[in-house]
Structure formats: C-alpha cells, structure tokens
Amino acid sequence: MTSTTEADLAEGLRNREIVLHYQPKFSLVTNEIVGAEALARWRRPDGTLLPPSAFIPLAERTGAIKDLTLQLLAGLVGDLGSAGLDEHLVVSLNVTAQDFEGDMFTRALLGAIAHGVLRPGSLELEITETQALSAGTRIREQLRVLTDAGIGLAMDDYGTGYSSIDTLSQWSFTTIKLDQGMIGRMLGSSKDATIVRSSIRLGHELGVNVVAEGVEAMVQQDFLAEAGCTLVQGYLVSSPLPLDEFKRFRHHDRRSLGMSPGLAHMALIDHVQWRRQMVRYAIRAASLPSSDPGRQLDGHPVLCERDCAFGRWYVDANASPGATGTCRALAAPHADLHRLGKGLVHRVRSGAALHELAPMLSELKQVSNELVCLLEDFEDAGLCALYDGATASR
Ligand code: C2E
Ligand code: MG
Ligand code: MG
C-alpha cells in the first residue's frame, strides 16, 4: 500500500489496528529506565507497520485524530494497569490541539483517574509549542485542570517553536523535551551546545524535568550528563519497542555512570546564586531604618535546607546507596549556611545595622568557600567517573 485514505484509516480504527510502541526514557542519575514515550504505529492486516508520518497528518486533516487519541489513551491505560507497566514509570502520550476541542479527552482522563484505573502521576501528555499556541486559552484551561489533577505536561520539540520562553511562563508545563535537531547539532556547533546547556539550566531553575530527545551516540549522552541533563531518550538507549519487548528491556543491566558531574555543577551554580541573594538581601534590608516595615519583607533565599535548589537535589543524592564521602561531607557546611542565613534574617528583622551583621556575613563567606571547594571536588570526581572510569567499559 503506497498511500492511505480517510476510509482506510476509519477501518483501521474500527479494527483497532493502531497500536502503541514504547521508547524508553533513561535516567542519567539512577541509571534506570524511568519512563517511556508511547508512539503510535499502524499494524496493517498484511503485517506491515506504518510510522506515524503515514497517518497522523491524515488523521489531523480529517479530524479522525480525536478518535485515534481516545483509542490510544484506552490502550495506554490498559498497558499501564493490567499489562504490567509498573507504578514507578511515567509514560507520555502525544496529543494535538484538536484533542481539546470539546472536552471528551479531558473527561476520559479525569474519569479514568476517578475510577482508579489511572494513577495520574504515571501519565504525561506531550504537546508541541506550535500546537499549544494554535489552540488558545480553552486548551490552556483544560491542560491546567489535568496538571492540577497530577498529570504531567511536556513541551515537545522544545527549541523549534518561536516563543518557547513565553509559552513556558504561561502554561503549566512540567517537562521540556529538547528537540532532536538541536541534540544532533550540539557537538558540531558551539552555539547549539550553549543553547542546550542554557535550556537545561533554565529547566532546572524553573523546576521542570528536561528530557533530551534523539540521543544516538555515547558522546552526546556524556555531553548531556556533564551539562546536568538527567533524562535521555533515543536510539542509543533503545528505539521504540512493542510492549512485551519494552518490559523485558527495562530490566537489562546497564553501565553505572556513578554520580552526575552535571548535577554537581548545577549545585555549584545554585549555591552561588543562593549566597548572592542572601548577601544582597542583608545589605539592602540593613540599609533601611531599624523600624522600617521593609525589613520584615521577604526577599531572602529559601531558608529551609531541604527546600533550597541545592537541598532538594542533595537530600536524594546523599540518601542514595552510592553516596561517596565527598558527597556526605557537603552536609555540614550546607547546614551551617542555612543556620547562618536564618540568623541573618532574624537580625535584620530585629533592626541590626550593617556593621553589626559584618561578622555573620564574613562567616557566611568562609563557609561558602568551603562548600564551593567541596562541590568542585565532587564535580571533578564525577568527571573522572564519566570519562576515565568509563572508558574501560566502552
Ligand atoms: P515526537 O513526539 O517528537 O517523537 C519522537 C520521534 O523521534 C519518534 O518518531 C521516535 O521514534 C524518533 N526517535 C527516537 N529516538 C530517535 C533517535 O535517536 N534518532 C532519531 N533520528 N529519531 C529518534 P516516530 O515514532 O516516527 O514519531 C514521529 C512523530 O509522530 C512524533 O514525534 C509525534 O509528533 C508524532 N506521533 C507519534 N505518535 C503519536 C501519537 O500517538 N499521537 C500523535 N498525535 N502524534 C504522534
Ligand atoms: Mg513526542
Ligand atoms: Mg519530539
């Protein structure tokens, strides 16, 4: 068959010939398969398997996409539950703007959650920025309802739209997927490399997951690990697989990467930003008269050591069985910094002048230097594990 018609597609849908294959998403932190992207394939009665490019554009043109997505959702919910994609995976499904014309799809999802057949945390919807923008505010509201219910939302092909930053700020995205074109170019172009690194940092600061798509070579994966990317998807790990093969593939052993030098680097930047914000807060607030109400305002960085950008990452890293001595050594100076930070805020609120804060600020600098040195050691050890320790096993 060379081309498909609307009638072929209608019949294919009636006969449930469109199936899902699953492409693994791999964590560079835990070295495990932590999720998958569900990708549509048309299994024709003659045994051929058609890629989405052969029928998704047709389905979008004819409006059949809505039925197709509902059918795929039902299949995915079945696979997630009875067919044994277990609790810890997050599986994503591609959706289009048309799926949100009317509220059938949203109601189907909310119904599945209400009936206990879908755990919202196990599903993520992928939509491209271009699709999202073409749909206007109604789709944004529906997606907000779904993310409020705990379903993830990924911006697909990030970097190919024309105003990604604007869209990121206004939509409830929980993940960005770096476009495979950008990943393919990043090692040959310093501009693309910078864009990839900055996009990973942006995702980190926004508190969203960053998945690199189309990772085909180990050198690309190493670059991404070094840049602080934690999730990769691409032919290097695996091409999309039928459900049974995916389930078997999940449990293969993989090379251990050790700690991620990229995450250590992120922690370094997080800490430098935290310290700067604390010093800026103290200097600005202490310049106000001692009874000025402005002294009671926030403006300081996160005070709780478990909740700062560094702490959120560190609590897990330190609790992991692979935590090294260098990793554990970060705990004391990090706790000291937060103790000093809380002390500074308390003194500012009680009306202390800048010269009275000077000893605490100087102690803050000392402890900060100690932490920076340890983090640099930690990052260097990660780079050794990535490049030196791993060469033997490749
Ligand atoms: P996408 O969502 O960006 O999906 C990623 C595509 O890249 C997939 O192609 C995948 O097989 C391919 N890919 C994965 N790793 C690599 C790699 O390392 N190198 C290269 N060169 N390619 C890689 P696929 O399955 O042909 O899907 C193409 C597009 O079709 C998808 O792009 C998505 O936009 C659309 N699509 C797929 N399934 C569905 C679906 O169920 N619903 C809707 N609405 N669209 C779908
Ligand atoms: Mg996708
Ligand atoms: Mg994509």
Side-chain angles (χ1 to χ4, degrees):
M1 191 176 70
T2 48
S3 67
T4 40
T5 64
E6 190 173 353
D8 292 332
L9 183 59
E11 195 181 340
L13 280 170
R14 254 194 319 279
N15 297 337
R16 312 236 173 252
E17 289 168 10
I18 317 250
V19 296
L20 287 172
H21 281 192
Y22 294 91
Q23 184 173 37
K25 290 184 195 159
F26 179 65
S27 162
L28 297 177
V29 178
T30 61
N31 301 309
E32 284 168 343
I33 303 297
V34 289
E37 174 171 6
L39 291 155
R41 304 285 180 258
W42 187 350
R43 196 187 292 133
R44 302 286 300 163
D46 65 5
T48 50
L49 204 61
L50 296 183
S53 55
F55 59 93
I56 296 283
L58 173 70
E60 286 185 309
R61 267 197 319 277
T62 59
I65 191 76
K66 289 193 202 176
D67 287 342
L68 172 60
T69 307
L70 281 168
Q71 212 177 86
L72 291 176
L73 174 68
L76 177 59
V77 169
D79 287 351
L80 278 171
S82 56
L85 289 186
D86 81 16
E87 292 257 304
H88 307 293
L89 293 177
V90 181
V91 180
S92 56
L93 181 69
N94 292 280
V95 292
T96 67
Q98 285 183 62
D99 294 315
F100 297 91
E101 284 167 6
D103 58 2
M104 284 272 280
F105 181 67
T106 303
R107 278 198 290 128
L109 272 174
L110 294 175
I113 296 170
H115 288 104
V117 289
L118 173 68
R119 188 178 61 86
S122 64
L123 181 70
E124 187 177 67
L125 302 176
E126 291 193 14
I127 189 160
T128 61
E129 179 192 19
T130 318
Q131 283 275 344
L133 286 182
S134 71
T137 50
R138 226 182 108 60
I139 163 169
R140 195 186 318 177
E141 283 157 20
Q142 291 190 54
L143 287 170
R144 168 71 64 187
V145 169
L146 294 174
T147 50
D148 284 350
I151 290 172
L153 179 64
M155 185 192 279
D156 206 352
D157 305 344
Y158 177 85
T160 56
Y162 51 85
S163 65
S164 304
I165 308 276
D166 196 39
T167 316
L168 267 184
S169 82
Q170 293 182 38
W171 293 66
S172 48
F173 286 102
T174 52
T175 297
I176 54 180
K177 296 192 78 180
L178 304 182
D179 182 59
Q180 43 183 281
M182 200 156 76
I183 301 300
R185 289 189 305 269
M186 73 190 175
L187 295 180
S189 144
S190 61
K191 276 191 192 164
D192 279 298
T194 303
I195 292 169
V196 168
R197 269 198 222 94
S198 321
S199 302
I200 294 168
R201 181 69 208 167
L202 177 72
H204 180 82
E205 293 214 22
L206 290 173
V208 301
N209 299 311
V210 179
V211 180
E213 279 197 285
V215 179
E216 295 181 347
M218 190 55 91
V219 278
Q220 292 174 329
Q221 183 171 293
D222 288 346
F223 175 95
L224 291 160
E226 200 184 316
C229 183
T230 54
L231 296 164
V232 292
Q233 180 186 338
Y235 296 160
L236 177 67
V237 174
S238 167
S239 53
L241 302 168
L243 180 63
D244 284 347
E245 278 181 49
F246 174 78
K247 285 196 281 183
R248 279 196 297 278
F249 181 82
R250 272 191 70 195
H251 300 294
H252 281 179
D253 274 346
R254 263 161 281 268
R255 166 172 81 87
S256 170
L257 292 171
M259 76 187 91
S260 160
L263 278 188
H265 191 73
M266 289 284 168
L268 206 60
I269 303 174
D270 291 337
H271 164 64
V272 170
Q273 289 180 344
W274 186 93
R275 191 201 74 89
R276 180 177 177 275
Q277 195 185 344
M278 181 54 83
V279 172
R280 181 173 172 276
Y281 158 83
I283 292 175
R284 286 190 69 185
S287 72
L288 298 171
S290 60
S291 57
D292 192 297
R295 280 182 175 256
Q296 307 307 319
L297 298 179
D298 289 340
H300 50 74
V302 174
L303 294 179
C304 172
E305 67 184 86
R306 295 179 73 88
D307 293 340
C308 70
F310 173 86
R312 285 199 306 264
W313 158 83
Y314 180 65
V315 169
D316 286 346
N318 204 24
S320 81
T324 57
T326 321
C327 183
R328 281 193 291 275
L330 298 167
H334 183 233
D336 276 354
L337 278 173
H338 280 271
R339 179 184 51 76
L340 281 162
K342 284 175 197 158
L344 273 166
V345 172
H346 177 71
R347 302 270 339 252
V348 163
R349 291 192 168 156
S350 343
L354 186 55
H355 70 271
E356 295 174 289
L357 300 180
M360 286 180 98
L361 285 171
S362 143
E363 199 184 338
L364 189 81
K365 186 177 274 179
Q366 258 174 33
V367 181
S368 166
N369 287 342
E370 194 187 328
L371 189 72
V372 165
C373 279
L374 285 168
L375 278 170
E376 284 172 353
D377 288 349
F378 192 49
E379 184 180 3
D380 294 351
L383 287 168
C384 285
L386 186 62
Y387 293 113
D388 195 34
T391 37
S393 61
R394 290 183 196 180

